[in-house]
Amino acid sequence: MKAPSRSNGKSKPSIGRIIARVVWMSIKLLIIPVLCVAALIVGLAIGFSVLGDKPVSEVFDIKTWKHMYDLVFAEGG
């Protein structure tokens, strides 16, 4: 008589499990950069509106950042 063949407990994972693992790894890799960007935006908005007494909408205006760049890197004479 032949004994039934036993696998060593390693069955092939299903496609759903593989996709879930890829999605979970993607979330784990992206969570820190996303939280850093969110903290940067919140910090800019709070600092600009509370400390600078300016409207929060000006944080997202490119003219504001161009003006700050010009102030920082202006040629002193």
Side-chain angles (χ1 to χ4, degrees), residues 29-46:
L29 287 174
L30 292 176
I31 193 75
I32 297 298
V34 168
L35 288 175
C36 287
V37 169
L40 176 69
I41 291 171
V42 169
L44 284 172
I46 290 173

Side-chain angles (χ1 to χ4, degrees), residues 1-71:
M1 267 176 68
K2 198 174 190 186
S5 65
R6 289 187 173 191
S7 63
N8 56 2
K10 294 182 181 178
S11 62
K12 198 173 185 184
S14 68
I15 267 295
R17 212 173 258 273
I18 292 172
I19 291 173
R21 185 175 295 165
V22 168
V23 169
W24 179 245
M25 287 301 292
S26 299
I27 289 172
K28 285 188 348 184
L29 287 174
L30 292 176
I31 193 75
I32 297 298
V34 168
L35 288 175
C36 287
V37 169
L40 176 69
I41 291 171
V42 169
L44 284 172
I46 290 173
F48 204 74
S49 64
V50 173
L51 297 176
D53 291 327
K54 302 284 184 182
V56 177
S57 62
E58 286 188 18
V59 170
F60 304 107
D61 187 17
I62 193 71
K63 292 177 188 174
T64 302
W65 298 107
K66 183 171 179 344
H67 178 68
M68 285 190 192
Y69 179 84
D70 291 342
L71 287 174

